[in-house]
Amino acid sequence: MNTATWPVGYALKEFESIDSTNEEARRLAVAGERGPIWIMAARQTAGRGRRGRVWESPSGNLAASLMLRPGRPAGDCAQLSFVAAIAACDMIAGFAPGAEVRVKWPNDVLANGAKIAGILLEASSSGADIPAWLAVGIGANLAHHPTDTEFPATSLAALGVTVPPPRDALLHLAASFAKWYESWRADGFAFIRDAWLARALGLGTRIRARLQNEELSGVFEGIDGGGALLLGMTAGRTRTIAAGEVFFG
Ligand code: BT5
């Protein structure tokens, strides 16, 4: 793996054990911390996924959140989950060069088809058009992965590669995120979308999308300017899906 250097201007706060690094990001933001600051914990006792789901993060895995204040509208801020996915994908690929490391809409990183990292973006809930702060939470399975998940999971250890200390993984993640974040700030989402699509699994293939009240089958055509999934249906129609789960095959 190439060497990486810690990005200039980013602070770091480390914990041995914490409830959730995203929750700590929220606490720091509410207390007035300006950021950008990475929060990392060796272990989370209440790691969370989307929609109240649990994220398992035992010691040996990476659990980290970046608290930052982009000063951009909420719709634009949501694009940062794609920035995080690209950064996490490249970090994992760097440690597992022999694996097929891909992103899966909206926020997962897969290695050889199994989930190795997940992303949880949370924002201040003040109702303002421009969120006061964002927490970009990233969990990556370095040494361990759960076996009882709906979607199969894996880890660097299960891939048979050398497992880095979580701090090394964070260094590469933080360096990569900072690079892609600068590109997003300077050039907007189009370039990020292209970079994400270049890493996406199953582009142009038939997928299933589970929405809140229905399940759809269609061709994964891409993502739109807001990051929504584009699903090609019969008769040339395209459905735009803002939230849901995707299944391949
Ligand atoms: C995610 O949610 O994938 C977002 C995970 C974000 C975790 C980070 S860790 C640092 C920061 N602090 C936090 O508290 N959270 C963030 P979702 O797509 O909802 O996936 C959750 C589902 O994945 C669960 O319902 C399980 O089925 C499965 N799962 C739980 N732990 C897993 C793991 N370690 N690896 C793979 N799958 C897991």
Side-chain angles (χ1 to χ4, degrees):
M1 183 103 185
N2 297 333
T3 50
T5 48
W6 187 258
V8 175
Y10 286 72
L12 170 64
K13 197 168 177 185
E14 288 179 272
F15 294 85
E16 192 48 42
S17 176
I18 202 167
D19 48 359
S20 152
T21 54
N22 263 38
E23 191 56 30
E24 178 63 14
R26 189 190 66 76
R27 285 189 289 261
L28 288 175
V30 169
E33 164 70 48
R34 300 306 304 164
I37 180 169
W38 279 97
I39 300 127
M40 178 180 145
R43 198 168 64 86
Q44 294 184 122
T45 54
R48 58 193 185 223
R50 293 176 298 149
R51 302 196 200 103
R53 290 190 287 242
V54 169
W55 181 259
E56 291 182 33
S57 37
S59 177
N61 284 357
L62 175 67
S65 300
L66 174 65
M67 193 285 282
L68 74 176
R69 301 178 185 270
R72 299 278 179 94
D76 291 1
C77 287
Q79 297 164 352
L80 291 177
S81 74
F82 295 90
V83 171
I86 295 167
C89 181
D90 289 357
M91 180 273 282
I92 295 289
F95 287 110
E100 193 196 14
V101 186
R102 300 282 179 179
V103 293
K104 170 179 175 255
W105 187 87
N107 64 350
D108 294 346
V109 179
L110 309 184
N112 296 344
K115 182 160 171 169
I116 195 161
I119 288 147
L120 178 66
L121 201 77
E122 294 177 319
S124 62
S125 52
S126 63
D129 287 349
I130 296 182
W133 55 266
L134 281 187
V136 185
I138 300 165
N141 300 332
L142 309 179
H144 312 283
H145 70 277
T147 51
D148 55 352
T149 47
E150 180 186 14
F151 196 88
T154 191
S155 61
L156 287 179
L159 294 173
V161 299
T162 307
V163 176
R167 226 169 177 281
D168 282 8
L170 178 66
L171 175 63
H172 284 90
L173 180 70
S176 182
F177 186 95
K179 188 188 82 182
W180 289 104
Y181 180 65
E182 280 318 310
S183 140
W184 175 80
R185 288 197 75 86
D187 302 322
F189 189 53
F191 187 57
I192 299 298
R193 178 171 59 170
D194 289 350
W196 188 91
L197 287 170
R199 293 160 176 76
L201 185 67
L203 195 60
T205 68
R206 185 156 283 278
I207 61 170
R208 283 182 300 125
R210 192 196 290 160
L211 319 190
Q212 202 159 18
N213 297 315
E214 59 180 328
E215 192 162 310
L216 300 171
S217 171
V219 174
F220 175 23
E221 290 179 343
I223 55 174
D224 74 6
L229 178 77
L230 299 174
L231 199 60
M233 312 299 287
T234 49
R237 282 191 312 124
T238 298
R239 283 276 298 257
T240 303
I241 296 166
E245 307 287 332
V246 160
F247 300 87
F248 299 100

